[in-house]
Amino acid sequence: DWGPHDVAMCLNLLRESPREIRATREERMTQGSAVAETLRLELVFSSGARARIRVSNMMEKTRRFSVRCAAGVLVYDDIARNKLVLQRDGEERPINVSPEPPLSRVVKAFVAGIEAGNDATASLDLAVDVVAVLGRCARVLATA
């Protein structure tokens, strides 16, 4: 259910499209016309970075995104009290983020761009790239 958001964050953070995609279906259940699945995606980038994404409509929703970098592990958890923390050497250091919902900030930035007459196509390019990556994932799953 959250796959597009996770893929968008990876592409936006790394500023590149994956050179390789692996996708596996861990679990699938049908009940009537409803389908429930757990999928695991791995995106491999030319820079050497890898993204591992697990999406499911079979478990309680979580909104957690982790990035391992030289400074430690940055963890964004939309449900946690401290939404963004840096984990390093067994310790967690909270990082302040705006309490305003991300979608509200994006919509405000979009409107400001239109009002200023700026080229606001970067987010459209990202959306096209996300759809292309998800299409590649779907093709991998179809052949599995």
Side-chain angles (χ1 to χ4, degrees):
D1 285 357
W2 295 93
H5 298 97
D6 298 312
V7 170
M9 288 187 289
C10 293
L11 299 182
N12 195 37
L13 182 65
L14 295 168
R15 302 278 189 230
E16 63 177 307
S17 293
R19 67 174 165 78
E20 185 180 341
I21 291 178
R22 298 181 189 119
T24 55
R25 184 175 287 108
E26 292 183 348
E27 190 174 0
R28 180 182 174 103
M29 294 182 350
T30 57
Q31 187 169 8
S33 63
V35 175
E37 293 183 309
T38 300
L39 305 174
R40 187 168 300 273
L41 312 175
E42 184 174 5
L43 311 178
V44 181
F45 297 86
S46 295
S47 64
R50 291 178 182 269
R52 292 177 185 95
I53 301 169
R54 186 171 185 234
V55 292
S56 179
N57 58 357
M58 298 177 70
M59 61 182 151
E60 186 175 328
K61 290 202 187 251
T62 58
R63 297 179 193 113
R64 185 177 167 101
F65 186 80
S66 303
V67 176
R68 185 176 314 275
C69 57
V73 179
L74 283 168
V75 179
Y76 177 79
D77 186 341
D78 191 43
I79 299 171
R81 186 173 143 257
N82 293 316
K83 304 249 182 254
L84 182 63
V85 297
L86 175 64
Q87 297 175 343
R88 185 176 188 166
D89 300 326
E91 295 182 19
E92 280 192 359
R93 189 186 72 171
I95 298 171
N96 291 330
V97 295
S98 170
E100 186 177 25
L103 182 59
S104 298
R105 291 195 312 269
V106 169
V107 169
K108 283 181 182 177
F110 181 73
V111 169
I114 291 172
E115 289 174 347
N118 295 337
D119 178 11
T121 59
S123 61
L124 296 175
D125 294 339
L126 177 60
V128 169
D129 290 344
V130 168
V131 171
V133 168
L134 292 175
R136 289 172 62 191
C137 290
R139 287 190 294 279
V140 169
L141 286 168
T143 60

